Each structure stands twice: as structure tokens, then as C-alpha cells.
Amino acid sequence: LRAGLAAGLLLAGCGQSGGPKAGLDPTLTIFNWATYMDPAVLEDFTKEFGVKVTLETYASNEELLAGLQGGAGRYDVIVPSDYMVAILRQQGLLLPLEAERVPNLKHIEPAFRDGPFDPGNAHCAPYLWGTTGIAYDSDRVPAPDSWRVLWDGRYRGRISMLSDQRETIGAALKALGHSLNSTDPNALRAAGDLLRRQRPLVKAYTSETYDELLLAGEIWLAHAWSGDVARVAQQKPSLKYVLPKEGSTIYMEHLCIPKGAPHKKTAEAFINYLLRPEVAARLVTFTRHPSPNGGARALLPPALLNDPTVLPSEEARARLEWMEDLGDATRLYDRLWAELKIR
């Protein structure tokens, strides 16, 4: 979060001297994942619209929810994942999008529209999507095919796990052959036991710094998001990514406006800007996460489109699950996460 705040303060100094365009507010505050925004895109938005942008970041959907509940009326745009969109919508924490102010929604591919977490895209615009799997240093580790490699004692102290309760509990559930959306208390108890046995092997539970640890060679295996691995592999080609045979997560982030947002019209102008095909393509190039924006695809280089870390094969995608809102069973996950005392 500290890095996100610093970035926000820097970007806030890049406004036009002439002020914002007619009808827009002078400032905008975004709450987003740490690696999900190209600072140059924000700077260009500021230059074009005269709106000063502040960017703050979080490491998990649960941290987003807590930040939103504790900072009502502070944020203009948030970027929750699919299941969290459903939770926020059900709790009445999202404002509806005014479709006429976001005409670039037309560029979203049909396969990514009208998801069960936001029927009719009434509240949010699809932004980026990706997968969760295993990053490994091929100079140190033979190509793995299973989650079980993250429990291999040969790699003690060379493993990191995401500090994300749904993802990490989900990885243990998948390793045991269960759905990552399981609400079976016995399956969750077994997943908790598996994660407790893993703890002595894990160097760090982190969603924000594992890429740096991989680059530095401090870890050789990481529970990871696909875009992060594709990005750091540009600097260290020995870093590879695999989707385990047991299956894993497919996720999509969304651009939403929280209840109490002080600058709703400006937020909608910003969301519409990010949905321009040329801007969406820039974001894919920077984040290494694919876009649901059909217009952006034609603007991307073949090397990016052919990278299986960025765009998995149909066979690999068949093994993936969307995370679901677990309803009352969320308490079981909360309790298990608290018992694990992962920080």
C-alpha cells in the first residue's frame, strides 16, 4: 500500500494547468491491485482530461473489502475480482454504471459479458483476466505438473504462497482433488492440515513481492498470478509458469464505482477511457494480463498473443474454475485463515 500511495502522490502532480474538462471533477482516486495499472496510462488520462489521479493499492479482495468498508466515500474506482463483485453488489456497495457514459463497453467480447456476478454488466466493466498457477525457475526446478511441488521438502525456504485466503486455501483444496469453491467442512479441515504442514517450507506469504523474490533467486517456486510471471520472465527467461494438472483459478477483474464515490461522472469517464481498444492494448502489454476487450486484440503483437502464460490453451482453460461467492460458508474460510495465522 505504501508504494501505491507514493505512486498516487506522484501522479497527482501531473494535471493540466487549464483544469478538468467540462463536467468533470479535478481529482480521482483509484483503489487497484499493485501491478494492474500502467502509470503512463494514468499520466495520459490526466493530460487529456485535466483530472489529477491518485492510485492506492491492495493485495487481496478481502483487503479491498476492508478498505472499502473503512474508507466509505474515499474511492472513485475499485477493481474487484468476479466473486467479490457479487459480494459487493449483494451488500449494496456498488453504484450502477450509466451505460450512455461508458459507450466503450461495446468493445467487450460477448464471452466476457453478462457474468453471473454482475448480470447485464449493470455495475462494472470487465477489465483484465488471468489464471493462478505455479511460477518456477527452470534453472533450479524440473518442470512441475502438480500443486504438490509446493509441498516438496527439497525446496524448503525456496517457496512462496499468495497472501490471499481464497487462492491459498483453494490451492490446497485443488491439491487434494476438491473444488476451490468447496464448502465441505471435512475438505476444508484437510486443506488446513495440508497448509499447516507446508508452513516450514514457505519463505514468504506474499501477493506483492514474490516477483522480486523470483528475480533475486531467493525463491524458486511461487504460487503466482499469470501476468506477474509473464512480466518478470521478460527480465529472467528461466522463469516459467504452469497450470497444475489438478486445475486452478481463472479470474477476471472489473472496473466498478463504489457506493459513496465522490466523483461518479469522472469515474465513468475514466472507465470509458480504459476501455478504448488502444488503451486496453497498452494495459495488456504492461500488465501481461489478457483483456476481454475485443478491439484490443488486433493491436497486440503475435508474441504476446502466442505466449501460453498470457493466453492459456483451451485444454488448460478446461481445468480452471471461477471463484464463487460462498455465502455463509465464507465464515469457514475466514476461520481457517485466522487459524493458519498467515500474515
Side-chain angles (χ1 to χ4, degrees), residues 1 31 56 61-75 78 88 91 93 258-260:
L1 180 58
F31 201 28
E56 299 184 20
N61 280 288
E62 288 67 32
E63 186 179 335
L64 162 63
L65 179 59
L68 192 60
Q69 291 170 335
R74 178 178 176 183
Y75 303 113
I78 57 174
L88 295 173
Q91 292 187 10
L93 294 174
K259 183 178 180 180

Side-chain angles (χ1 to χ4, degrees), residues 123-143:
H123 295 83
C124 303
Y127 179 46
L128 295 169
W129 65 274
T131 65
T132 309
I134 300 169
Y136 65 98
D137 189 334
S138 60
D139 287 343
R140 302 284 188 171
V141 180

Side-chain angles (χ1 to χ4, degrees), residues 72-264:
R74 178 178 176 183
Y75 303 113
D76 297 301
V77 179
I78 57 174
V79 193
S81 302
D82 30 74
Y83 77 95
M84 186 53 67
V85 170
I87 292 171
L88 295 173
R89 184 171 53 83
Q90 290 163 11
Q91 292 187 10
L93 294 174
L94 297 178
L95 294 178
L97 284 181
E98 301 294 335
E100 65 273 15
R101 294 180 184 165
V102 193
N104 285 330
L105 276 168
K106 67 184 179 184
H107 296 298
I108 301 300
E109 294 179 337
F112 293 100
R113 293 183 188 177
D114 198 27
F117 26 82
D118 183 28
N121 296 115
H123 295 83
C124 303
Y127 179 46
L128 295 169
W129 65 274
T131 65
T132 309
I134 300 169
Y136 65 98
D137 189 334
S138 60
D139 287 343
R140 302 284 188 171
V141 180
D145 66 352
S146 168
W147 285 115
R148 290 288 182 168
V149 73
L150 299 177
W151 279 262
D152 190 327
R154 291 177 295 176
Y155 305 118
R156 177 184 293 266
R158 299 293 187 176
I159 296 170
S160 75
M161 297 292 291
L162 292 170
S163 56
D164 182 304
Q165 72 179 52
R166 287 297 304 273
E167 290 282 22
T168 295
I169 295 171
L173 285 167
K174 296 304 288 186
L176 293 167
H178 301 294
S179 167
L180 56 81
N181 295 304
S182 178
T183 58
D184 179 354
N186 292 326
L188 288 167
R189 192 173 303 112
D193 290 341
L194 193 62
L195 290 169
R196 275 185 282 273
R197 292 201 298 273
Q198 184 197 37
R199 285 199 64 143
L201 307 180
V202 177
K203 180 179 180 65
Y205 294 89
T206 173
S207 298
E208 296 182 294
T209 62
Y210 66 86
D211 52 351
E212 298 169 9
L213 296 173
L214 285 165
L215 284 172
E218 293 185 38
I219 58 172
W220 302 342
L221 288 159
H223 181 208
W225 287 310
S226 55
D228 292 343
V229 185
R231 192 177 63 256
V232 297
Q234 296 175 93
Q235 302 174 61
K236 189 174 182 178
S238 65
L239 296 177
K240 309 294 183 184
Y241 179 78
V242 64
L243 290 168
K245 62 185 179 183
E246 300 93 344
S248 189
T249 310
I250 182 172
Y251 55 83
M252 186 161 65
E253 316 298 350
H254 295 72
L255 300 161
C256 312
I257 303 174
K259 183 178 180 180
H263 308 124
K264 182 175 187 288

